[in-house]
Amino acid sequence: MNQAVKTQFDALSKSLARHLKRYFAAIAGTVIALMLGFSSFFTTELGYTYVVQDTLFGTIRVFTEPGVHLKVPFFSNVYTYNQAMTLNFGNQESGEVIRATRQLNEVEVQFADTYTASIPATFRFKLSADPERIVAMHREFRSYDNLIDSLLIKNAKNVTVVTATQYTGEEFFQGGLNKFKVQLEDQLQNGLYQTERRQVEVEQTDLAAVSSTNDDGDKLEHKVQLVWKNIILQDAAGQARRLANPLESYGIQVRQVTIGRPIPEHRLDELLVKKKDLVAKRITAIQAQETARAEAKTAQLEKEIEKARAIQDAQRAKELAVISKQKEVEMERQQAELERVRKEKEQAVALLEKQTQLEVATAERDIQKANAEAATYAAKAIREKGLAEAEVAKANLMAKQSARDIYMAEIQRDIARVMYPALKETQIQMPAYYVGDGSATPVNSLDVFTSLGAMDHLKQSLQTAERTR
């Protein structure tokens, strides 16, 4: 019995072991598959440059845009570089630290006159988008941190220190900061200037040495010193000669350089403060002198103005008197001229009136003469007309006398033309009266008809009067 149970337990144990091995194998396969799956691709983000190194096939790829990319699992290394980076050497804005890739201390520089200072500055760089330059940069530095520490930081500090040697401390802090920034950015982007160390004369203000003749330790004095400075060399075209720029071979660009408030060393700061006080006192004294000089000049100018004003008033009074006399003379001359013109006008008017009267008389004479001539001509015309009409009447009369019968016949014809139409409806009755004078002379027809017409008219008038009664 015990043997059978033991046999069953062993068989169950072996079956369980086989199942566990299969389970763990499945889990291990799943884990390996997931690892292979996640290791076969990677994602890229905006603002970063990715260098993918394939150790199995020996290839290098560069990605600068966001996306999803494949890679060989376990045999590919992905290196990430920021496309833009900021190095802040102690520069602050409103007391707040600027957000940067690296936060560093101020750059310690030494000027040509051995004074030192701390210069806070911020440098912003941008990587190239050229894959070949990115690969060359990666071969040289192999990581992003090594690129910043070995190239960008060292180069920025080196250019800042070298640029400072081209200035004296006083020159830098008395208006040379802006030029320093321009030269710093130019050399950082295009390469350092080739310089030659020379001694130059520099006019400076320094603390006077304490001696038997000077017991004031704060006294300042102006003096000319020989200072070693790095002088920029120029080519034949007048352009600055340059050294090789280590950033150019990798295509790294300098996008921005900002300078904070530099901090001079104690001796230089004390010298600048005393010089500032001395300059302020000197300016005050000069201003006082200028004010006194200006006041004296103003008083002199006021006197000259008063003198010129008095001269001008006298000259003006003289000119006014002359003008007044000239006005009187001119008025008298104009009055005489006016009187002369008036007389000439009166003479001209009288002459014109006489000429007008003469012309009127001449015109009337001409009119009368013309009227007389016209009357003569009219009388002659009337006489000629009368003579002509008399001749015509004489001729007619002569013609009538020579043809009396014809003329009488024509008269009878004309009377008939007038009378016969009037007697068209007239009835001739035996007259109740007789027309004649009782003589033997016969009465003509015209007298007869005239008498008949008159009697008939009288009769009608009587009848009308009777009807009205």
Side-chain angles (χ1 to χ4, degrees), residues 81-82 85-87 101-102 104 141 143-155:
Y81 293 87
N82 289 0
M85 58 216 73
T86 303
L87 305 181
T101 306
R102 289 285 191 278
L104 306 166
F141 300 100
S143 69
Y144 175 65
D145 293 333
N146 192 31
L147 170 68
I148 294 178
D149 297 334
S150 301
L151 177 63
L152 299 183
I153 294 178
K154 293 184 179 300
N155 188 61

Side-chain angles (χ1 to χ4, degrees), residues 460-469:
Q460 290 179 359
S461 299
L462 292 174
Q463 290 176 358
T464 301
E466 291 177 357
R467 283 197 298 268
T468 55
R469 288 179 180 178

Side-chain angles (χ1 to χ4, degrees), residues 166-315:
Q166 301 168 12
Y167 295 82
T168 64
E170 289 187 47
E171 182 183 6
F172 179 83
F173 283 97
Q174 292 179 354
L177 180 60
N178 187 50
K179 183 179 178 182
F180 173 83
K181 175 184 177 299
V182 173
Q183 289 187 343
L184 174 61
E185 187 172 359
D186 180 49
Q187 293 182 95
L188 194 62
Q189 178 64 49
N190 303 309
L192 286 170
Y193 301 140
Q194 290 187 14
T195 58
E196 183 181 30
R197 190 168 176 79
R198 298 177 188 171
Q199 269 192 333
V200 295
E201 291 184 352
V202 178
E203 182 179 353
Q204 291 183 332
T205 302
D206 205 346
L207 293 173
V210 178
S211 62
S212 59
T213 59
N214 178 34
D215 57 355
D216 186 3
D218 295 333
K219 184 179 180 180
L220 298 176
E221 63 178 358
H222 293 281
K223 57 184 177 179
V224 176
Q225 294 182 344
L226 291 176
V227 179
W228 287 95
K229 289 183 66 176
N230 290 332
I231 305 302
I232 301 173
L233 300 179
Q234 297 181 346
D235 55 16
Q239 300 295 326
R241 297 180 182 178
R242 297 182 184 272
L243 301 175
N245 183 15
L247 302 181
E248 183 179 2
S249 57
Y250 309 121
I252 300 176
Q253 299 178 1
V254 180
R255 303 307 297 268
Q256 184 181 6
V257 176
T258 57
I259 303 295
R261 182 177 179 275
I263 304 173
E265 65 168 286
H266 179 69
R267 292 188 304 115
L268 179 58
D269 187 32
E270 183 179 1
L271 175 64
L272 293 174
V273 171
K274 290 183 178 180
K275 184 175 180 180
K276 183 170 64 175
D277 294 339
L278 180 62
V279 170
K281 293 179 181 179
R282 183 178 179 183
I283 292 174
T284 303
I286 292 174
Q287 288 179 345
Q289 294 175 0
E290 292 294 333
T291 301
R293 191 179 295 111
E295 290 177 352
K297 189 174 181 180
T298 301
Q300 183 179 359
L301 289 175
E302 289 179 353
K303 292 181 179 179
E304 292 179 356
I305 291 171
E306 290 294 332
K307 181 180 178 180
R309 188 177 297 165
I311 294 174
Q312 289 177 357
D313 292 341
Q315 186 68 23

